[in-house]
Amino acid sequence: MDISREYNKLRKLILRSANLTEFNFDPYATFPKLRVVDISENNIERVDFTGVRSMPAINQILLSSNKIKTIDGCEDLKAASSLRYVAFQYNELEQIDLNCFPKNLAKLHLHFNNIKNLSACQPLKDLTSLNILSVARNKLEVFDFDCIPFSMTNLMLYGNNISEVQNCQSLKSLPNLGRLSLAENNLESFDFSCLPTTLHELTLFDNKISRIESCSSLQALTVLGKLSLSKNQLDSFDLSCLPKDIINLSLADNRISDISSCDALRNLPRLQNLYLNSNDFIAFNFSCLPRSLTDFDLANNTISQLFSSSSLSRLPALTRLSLAHNAISSVDFRLLPQSIRYLYLHDNLLSDLDLDLLSRVTWIEISVYDNPIACSCMLLVQYVKVVQSPNVQFQCSNESACVTCIDFLQSYSWTDDTDALRSYDDDSAGCFASYLKEASVSRSNVTKGCIVEKVHAFLPSMIVCNEYQQNGFPFREDFKDAESLDVRGDFSSFVEIDSQYAQLRHIKLRSYALTAIDMNIFNEFSMLKIVDLSSSGIESIIMPLTNLASLHEINLNDNNLSTTSYVGNQSFNNFTNLKRLYLRDNRLEALEMKHLPHQLIELDVRKNLISDLVLDGIERMTTLKFVDLSYNKLESFPLNRVTGSVETLWLNGNKISNLNMDSCSDFQSLKLDIRDNPLNCSCDFSAHLITALDTCNVSLECNINSTCFNCRMGLGENHISFQTIQQLKDHRTTTIQCEQDGGDGSNAVRITTSTLVFILGVLSSLVFKL
């Protein structure tokens, strides 16, 4: 490229991204004031430095990001006495002649090339002004430290194939060396005794170092502020070897399972950054941490225990804490220091969160996704509140999951999109309609004994009435947008709620004088999700004539309902999208599953009088997960009829003698409670129980004294539990002497009372362990 000689005052020549394929310096030798030539980011394969000696002011030559393989005009380059900086990084050099560079050169960048060795030792040593040399990301296998000039301050050798360093002790004679990087090489050991005391940064990560030699020599590096030994093969590290003024320490991605001395770590008064992630820790004691710490990473271990968590609150400078990818089951947000800004807890075993505690922080980014959180309405309301807060930022997974739920909202992930959460809640959970928040609220009178409570924008506007005596609820224009109606009093009937309250999602009616309820009064409310009629003394219900498809939850707990209480349609089938049905503490004597909606997730009928249970139709209930039939009068239960979707089945406190377990459904994971039943523990029973526990993904709920089920066999000690399934199998065939095919137990059992007591004791310890 020709440039007019009229530009004789030219100081900088920048020809970046000009599609140049070669470059000659000779045409620019007539520009006496030219200081900088930048021809980076082209396609130059050959460069000729002829003429550079005639450029008296040349100071920097930048040639990065080209395809340079060869250089010409070496003698002219060597004669450029004013040249201080040459950049050859990101090229295709396979060798470099260091004789080509002037002795006054201060900075030489050769990283990201294909250099296998430096031409000779002496030419490098003769560069007596060189203080920065980078030969990183090349193909060096050996490096001789005796070649380094005394002027060197920064030496970058990372990303090579160096397995051997020669004349290591020569480093000690370098009076100005401050930074040394040998990271990403093949070193198996390193001798710290060869390092100069001027060193303030040492990076040795991604090697094969398995031991630390010369501990006292490392401790003698009194100005060392940064040490990285991550991604090596260390099984242990003696923290007492560290110099007192260390600021940044990385031991990540090794095999360390414990710190050598808690006191040694605590007594590092300037330590700010500590990285112990990707090791083999199973526990950690926070009391070991120094007060100066600002960034602490324990991610990717197998930690299940955190000791002295309260010590976190005494770390006044801690801003970042990562405990992600461990096995931690609980974290108390109250123990976090006020300084915390980044908290990473994703991929653990956390089941419970109290997000309200985050409201006290000034600002925080937090991650809790990929934990088995037991989500609830209270947690959802807390979550939405903090999501809307400018002080809390949730870090979510690549799938936009911010909270991963189990139990309450099965297999559902909460995002940070509040509109999507509200839409989901309307369609499924109904949390915002049913959650009544205790708060200081603005209140307005609706009618005598009633107020309107408005908490915050995401929660519904609630009409709350106490000591109410009317048998209907009139309309008021001012409160037509109310979403929740809670009416309590001593009314004996309730015949109408004005249909103009079109936004109602939650209706709660409670009166001990309310003996009957007509479900047709709810027909006009197309957005209604929850009806709560608990604790009202209801004896009869008139079922709706039309489909109440919007309703997701009915609560009829603690009433006087019997099997004959339903008037009209004798079933709940008109509630086609009902998810939760609560009928506990009533007087039901029979239950037919075909009368229940197919989409039911949770059914609670505990503490009734049910002796007649008909499971016909349960095979269509493919979303059913929780069933509580405890404390009824069932004498048998066909476990083999239960749909495979059920995850929790409570049968405790009945009169069950036979479970009919000759086959089992394909349970994903069933937790079964059969305590406090007079079971007939025959050979068949033990055989079927073994099958259920061994192959059907069934586990038993046991109480604190290891009782898992009871047997009616005339024994004083009538509970059975066991430790392993194999023990049950062995005792069934050898001690109880059951036949190979199981039998019915009538002729197969030939044991004494004392022997059976022994068997029952062995079995007793087995169930509890499961």
Side-chain angles (χ1 to χ4, degrees):
M1 178 179 290
D2 293 331
I3 299 177
S4 173
R5 300 300 182 267
E6 295 179 4
Y7 296 105
N8 57 6
K9 294 183 179 181
L10 188 67
R11 294 176 180 272
K12 289 184 180 181
L13 175 63
I14 300 176
L15 296 173
R16 285 191 174 206
S17 303
N19 292 320
L20 301 177
T21 57
E22 62 178 23
F23 191 84
N24 298 320
F25 277 83
D26 193 48
Y28 306 99
T30 57
F31 295 93
K33 295 187 178 182
L34 190 59
R35 291 176 53 83
V36 178
V37 174
D38 185 352
I39 51 175
S40 304
E41 300 174 15
N42 283 284
N43 294 312
I44 298 171
E45 296 183 6
R46 173 184 168 275
V47 61
D48 188 346
F49 288 101
T50 301
V52 171
R53 72 167 69 218
S54 301
M55 301 169 68
I58 193 68
N59 181 268
Q60 298 181 24
I61 297 178
L62 310 179
L63 296 154
S64 62
S65 300
N66 279 285
K67 298 179 180 179
I68 298 172
K69 296 181 180 178
T70 60
I71 59 175
D72 295 326
C74 182
E75 291 301 321
D76 277 49
L77 179 59
K78 188 178 184 71
S81 59
S82 61
L83 188 61
R84 296 292 180 269
Y85 175 32
V86 176
F88 269 111
Q89 67 264 33
Y90 294 98
N91 277 284
E92 298 178 7
L93 294 170
E94 293 184 1
Q95 59 183 5
I96 187 75
D97 186 356
L98 296 174
N99 276 309
C100 295
F101 297 100
K103 291 186 177 182
N104 291 334
L105 192 69
K107 182 162 63 172
L108 178 59
H109 283 168
L110 296 170
H111 47 276
F112 287 93
N113 278 279
N114 298 314
I115 300 170
K116 294 182 179 179
N117 56 73
L118 299 179
S119 56
C121 184
Q122 193 60 41
L124 177 57
K125 201 163 190 175
D126 288 343
L127 298 177
T128 54
S129 296
L130 190 66
N131 52 54
I132 298 176
L133 174 62
S134 176
V135 200
R137 301 290 184 195
N138 278 278
K139 297 181 178 179
L140 300 177
E141 296 182 357
V142 177
F143 192 84
D144 188 348
F145 285 123
D146 194 40
C147 302
I148 305 300
F150 288 166
S151 56
M152 190 65 64
T153 60
N154 295 343
L155 179 58
M156 302 292 107
L157 296 170
Y158 62 87
N160 281 280
N161 298 316
I162 299 172
S163 58
E164 179 185 357
V165 289
Q166 296 175 345
N167 296 307
C168 180
Q169 292 298 323
S170 296
L171 283 173
K172 202 159 192 148
S173 63
L174 300 178
N176 300 306
L177 188 64
R179 294 178 64 198
L180 173 61
S181 177
L182 281 161
E184 299 176 83
N185 280 286
N186 293 317
L187 297 174
E188 295 184 0
S189 63
F190 189 80
D191 186 358
F192 289 97
S193 68
C194 65
L195 296 174
T197 57
T198 56
L199 203 66
H200 59 78
E201 182 176 322
L202 176 63
T203 53
L204 291 165
F205 65 85
D206 199 1
N207 277 280
K208 299 177 181 178
I209 299 172
S210 59
R211 63 188 184 280
I212 300 298
E213 299 177 357
S214 306
C215 174
S216 59
S217 299
L218 176 58
Q219 194 174 49
L221 301 176
T222 55
V223 298
L224 187 67
K226 179 178 180 180
L227 173 61
S228 177
L229 284 161
S230 59
K231 205 171 182 180
N232 276 283
Q233 298 176 10
L234 296 172
D235 292 322
S236 61
F237 186 83
D238 188 351
L239 293 168
S240 65
C241 296
L242 292 169
K244 291 295 184 182
D245 288 335
I246 192 80
I247 296 173
N248 187 314
L249 174 63
S250 179
L251 296 169
D253 207 355
N254 278 282
R255 303 168 182 171
I256 301 170
S257 59
D258 193 13
I259 57 175
S260 57
S261 169
C262 190
D263 288 338
L265 178 58
R266 190 187 299 117
N267 293 330
L268 297 174
R270 298 189 62 196
L271 186 65
Q272 296 179 9
N273 306 310
L274 176 59
Y275 305 111
L276 297 174
N277 46 298
S278 301
N279 276 285
D280 293 334
F281 287 95
I282 60 174
F284 194 83
N285 190 340
F286 284 122
S287 69
C288 300
L289 299 176
R291 288 175 55 83
S292 56
L293 204 62
T294 62
D295 188 352
F296 183 38
D297 198 330
L298 268 174
N300 289 293
N301 282 278
T302 54
I303 296 171
S304 59
Q305 291 182 296
L306 296 174
F307 298 109
S308 302
S309 296
S310 59
S311 298
L312 281 174
S313 61
R314 296 193 289 272
L315 301 177
L318 187 66
T319 58
R320 180 182 177 274
L321 174 61
S322 180
L323 297 168
H325 303 289
N326 278 287
I328 299 167
S329 58
S330 65
V331 172
D332 190 344
F333 292 147
R334 291 173 297 183
L335 303 179
L336 296 174
Q338 289 287 336
S339 58
I340 198 73
R341 294 294 177 269
Y342 302 93
L343 177 63
Y344 302 122
L345 299 167
H346 53 275
D347 195 12
N348 274 282
L349 298 176
L350 299 176
S351 60
D352 186 39
L353 295 174
D354 188 349
L355 297 179
D356 271 351
L357 296 173
L358 294 178
S359 60
R360 67 188 185 89
V361 300
T362 305
W363 187 91
I364 191 170
E365 178 180 284
I366 183 173
S367 67
V368 294
Y369 62 87
D370 288 343
N371 278 283
I373 305 296
C375 296
S376 64
C377 275
M378 180 178 292
L379 181 62
L380 179 56
V381 173
Q382 289 179 356
Y383 174 69
V384 169
K385 186 176 179 181
V386 296
V387 162
Q388 291 181 314
S389 167
N391 299 332
V392 181
Q393 180 70 47
F394 277 87
Q395 185 191 75
C396 307
S397 69
N398 293 335
E399 293 76 31
S400 299
C402 305
V403 177
T404 309
C405 295
I406 61 167
D407 296 338
F408 175 65
L409 303 178
Q410 293 289 336
S411 302
Y412 180 72
S413 297
W414 296 344
T415 69
D416 54 4
D417 183 341
T418 53
D419 290 336
L421 284 169
R422 183 59 186 258
S423 176
Y424 176 82
D425 186 64
D426 283 347
D427 292 339
S428 179
C431 290
F432 301 118
S434 62
Y435 183 76
L436 302 180
K437 185 174 178 60
E438 296 294 333
S440 179
V441 295
S442 58
R443 299 184 173 191
S444 303
N445 288 326
V446 179
T447 185
K448 184 178 180 181
C450 298
I451 57 172
V452 166
E453 295 186 349
K454 186 68 176 176
V455 183
H456 62 75
F458 214 81
L459 284 177
S461 177
M462 295 171 281
I463 302 175
V464 180
C465 305
N466 290 304
E467 301 181 7
Y468 196 78
Q469 296 183 351
Q470 301 180 51
N471 62 0
F473 200 82
F475 180 70
R476 274 198 51 177
E477 179 69 25
D478 295 348
F479 306 107
K480 66 179 181 180
D481 294 328
E483 297 175 281
S484 178
L485 175 62
D486 185 347
V487 180
R488 310 179 191 194
D490 57 359
F491 43 88
S492 59
S493 65
F494 210 87
V495 296
E496 182 183 12
I497 301 173
D498 198 298
S499 62
Q500 294 181 79
Y501 289 110
Q503 301 299 315
L504 281 178
R505 290 174 165 81
H506 169 253
I507 297 176
K508 183 173 186 175
L509 304 177
R510 179 171 294 181
S511 170
Y512 284 108
L514 186 63
T515 57
I517 187 71
D518 186 349
M519 301 295 283
N520 288 293
I521 68 173
F522 306 121
N523 288 348
E524 302 299 323
F525 303 103
S526 60
M527 300 182 70
L528 188 61
K529 306 297 178 186
I530 297 174
V531 170
D532 186 344
L533 301 168
S534 59
S535 303
S536 292
I538 297 173
E539 296 178 0
S540 65
I541 298 176
I542 299 175
M543 287 298 188
L545 301 176
T546 59
N547 180 12
L548 289 180
S550 66
L551 205 58
H552 291 160
E553 179 180 315
I554 297 176
N555 188 340
L556 287 162
N557 290 338
D558 192 19
N559 281 290
N560 293 315
L561 295 172
S562 66
T563 307
T564 60
S565 294
Y566 312 129
V567 179
N569 184 2
Q570 293 292 313
S571 75
F572 286 87
N573 281 335
N574 272 346
F575 305 102
T576 53
N577 286 309
L578 196 67
K579 303 293 191 299
R580 292 175 292 280
L581 177 59
Y582 302 117
L583 286 161
R584 72 170 182 267
D585 289 296
N586 278 282
R587 296 185 292 109
L588 300 177
E589 297 175 350
L591 179 65
E592 294 188 55
M593 302 301 282
K594 68 180 181 180
H595 291 161
L596 302 178
H598 300 162
Q599 301 302 315
L600 210 61
I601 294 174
E602 184 173 349
L603 174 63
D604 186 349
V605 289
R606 67 182 182 270
K607 294 186 179 180
N608 276 276
L609 305 172
I610 299 172
S611 59
D612 185 9
L613 175 65
V614 181
L615 292 185
D616 292 347
I618 194 172
E619 65 278 355
R620 294 174 296 178
M621 303 174 71
T622 57
T623 61
L624 189 62
K625 294 184 180 297
F626 178 87
V627 180
D628 192 342
L629 285 158
S630 60
Y631 299 101
N632 278 282
K633 295 188 176 182
L634 296 173
E635 295 184 357
S636 65
F637 187 85
L639 188 63
N640 52 0
R641 295 284 308 279
V642 176
T643 179
S645 64
V646 175
E647 297 176 355
T648 304
L649 176 59
W650 291 163
L651 297 172
N652 49 303
N654 278 277
K655 298 181 179 181
I656 297 172
S657 61
N658 186 6
L659 280 176
N660 296 334
M661 297 188 297
D662 56 325
S663 64
C664 62
S665 301
D666 186 17
F667 297 115
Q668 294 182 4
S669 177
L670 174 64
K671 177 166 284 190
L672 177 65
D673 192 341
I674 54 174
R675 292 171 295 171
D676 299 322
N677 280 287
L679 293 167
N680 178 9
C681 299
S682 63
C683 285
D684 275 348
F685 176 85
S686 60
H688 296 156
L689 182 59
I690 288 171
T691 300
L693 296 173
D694 211 358
T695 64
C696 299
N697 296 320
V698 176
S699 61
L700 293 181
E701 181 76 5
C702 306
N703 59 22
I704 195 169
N705 66 357
S706 306
T707 300
C708 300
F709 56 90
N710 303 77
C711 292
R712 53 162 199 180
M713 302 183 71
L715 300 177
E717 186 175 344
N718 66 345
H719 68 266
I720 295 180
S721 55
F722 49 89
Q723 294 176 345
T724 66
I725 295 173
Q726 187 58 48
Q727 281 183 308
L728 180 58
K729 292 176 182 177
D730 293 343
H731 281 284
R732 184 177 178 277
T733 56
T734 59
T735 307
I736 304 178
Q737 299 178 9
C738 293
E739 298 175 357
Q740 290 292 331
D741 60 1
D744 63 2
S746 57
N747 298 316
V749 180
R750 296 180 177 85
I751 54 176
T752 64
T753 299
S754 59
T755 302
L756 185 56
V757 170
F758 168 74
I759 295 168
L760 297 182
V762 172
L763 298 177
S764 180
S765 54
L766 184 59
V767 168
F768 179 66
K769 290 292 183 182
L770 284 184

